[in-house]
Amino acid sequence: EPEVTQTPSHQVTQMGQEVILRCVPISNHLYFYWYRQILGQKVEFLVSFYNNEISEKSEIFDDQFSVERPDGSNFTLKIRSTKLEDSAMYFCASSEGKKHGYTFGSGTRLTVV
Amino acid sequence: GESVGLHLPTLSVQEGDNSIINCAYSNSASDYFIWYKQESGKGPQFIIDIRSNMDKRQGQRVTVLLNKTVKHLSLQIAATQPGDSAVYFCAETSSNYQLIWGAGTKLIIKP
């Protein structure tokens, strides 16, 4: 069964450093997403990406965040200057359509110290 | 505002019994709903979805019911097994891209 793959599984970074979280969506999917889940809380939408541009973003997705699809397979989330409160599980997802077949990766646990 | 919520944060069920997990939503414009299962340390796993033009949809051992009148969604798991232990989330979406997630219900299976 096709999977969304995320790397690394765990990232520890110092406050103020930049991190890049990587995702390989399912190959025939056209829509890509990033969500995050702070420990013990609900999953929160960050951003959606379609046709090489951001289609929607939440209030959380401020100027310190950016996304990129550098090639035909990878989808990345960059956090420019990490803060302690950025510590969370970050999930990448992809879907065939806007309302069809959302599949999530296993997540990257980001710990900012 | 728009929100998706769950009635019970924890549900304990005897192995072999049926489980019913409930979810309330407030956005009447939502037209697509998904149930996810999340095991500890893993990403959300798709269980079943339903569109607003349906009231019921069945999968393997799972059934989702949608009551648009009272904005209620439920997930029924038949013959609950130990492997069903997880946190279950409902999520909704309307005309935009994002899924709005509920708070989650932890399902505990008693032997």
Side-chain angles (χ1 to χ4, degrees):
Chain A
E1 189 169 327
E3 291 184 339
V4 174
T5 305
Q6 289 187 244
T7 54
S9 57
H10 193 188
Q11 172 96 41
V12 181
T13 188
Q14 287 197 325
M15 189 170 53
Q17 295 296 304
E18 175 183 286
V19 294
I20 298 176
L21 309 183
R22 303 182 189 278
C23 170
V24 179
I26 294 174
S27 60
N28 65 336
H29 284 188
L30 301 176
Y31 297 81
F32 314 112
Y33 313 86
W34 283 101
Y35 286 78
R36 79 172 185 189
Q37 185 179 30
I38 294 171
L39 186 63
Q41 299 186 22
K42 65 173 70 174
V43 178
E44 301 173 292
F45 171 79
L46 293 178
V47 67
S48 61
F49 192 86
Y50 170 70
N51 201 26
N52 286 319
E53 62 182 18
I54 291 173
S55 47
E56 190 174 10
K57 60 182 180 179
S58 70
E59 293 176 352
I60 303 168
F61 195 87
D62 60 23
D63 291 343
Q64 70 163 339
F65 291 92
S66 63
V67 289
E68 193 177 31
R69 188 155 163 82
D71 52 43
S73 60
N74 291 284
F75 180 51
T76 62
L77 174 69
K78 181 191 289 185
I79 309 175
R80 288 190 186 82
S81 179
T82 51
K83 303 190 285 277
L84 293 176
E85 54 265 37
D86 293 327
S87 295
M89 281 289 287
Y90 287 81
F91 293 107
C92 174
S94 67
S95 66
E96 296 176 60
K98 282 167 63 173
K99 295 173 187 177
H100 182 65
Y102 284 90
T103 303
F104 281 76
S106 297
T108 293
R109 179 170 296 284
L110 177 65
T111 303
V112 183
V113 297
Chain B
E2 302 171 2
S3 67
V4 176
L6 291 166
H7 296 303
L8 297 173
T10 302
L11 177 65
S12 293
V13 175
Q14 202 74 37
E15 182 179 348
D17 287 352
N18 298 334
S19 302
I20 300 176
I21 301 171
N22 296 302
C23 179
Y25 66 95
S26 60
N27 183 7
S28 57
S30 290
D31 58 1
Y32 181 58
F33 306 86
I34 310 176
W35 279 101
Y36 284 96
K37 171 185 179 182
Q38 188 177 27
E39 297 173 282
S40 181
K42 297 184 179 180
Q45 179 186 353
F46 175 90
I47 301 173
I48 192 167
D49 59 0
I50 188 168
R51 299 187 187 277
S52 59
N53 61 352
M54 302 174 69
D55 297 323
K56 178 179 180 179
R57 189 157 188 242
Q58 288 185 293
Q60 188 177 14
R61 262 197 328 117
V62 295
T63 301
V64 55
L65 299 177
L66 175 63
N67 185 331
K68 294 180 288 293
T69 303
V70 295
K71 300 190 187 73
H72 186 266
L73 191 70
S74 69
L75 176 70
Q76 300 178 1
I77 305 173
T80 312
Q81 302 168 358
D84 294 327
S85 293
V87 177
Y88 289 81
F89 293 92
C90 63
E92 64 171 314
T93 187
S94 56
S95 60
N96 50 17
Y97 296 87
Q98 64 175 291
L99 292 177
I100 299 171
W101 291 70
T105 293
K106 185 174 183 179
L107 180 63
I108 297 171
I109 312 304
K110 296 181 286 187

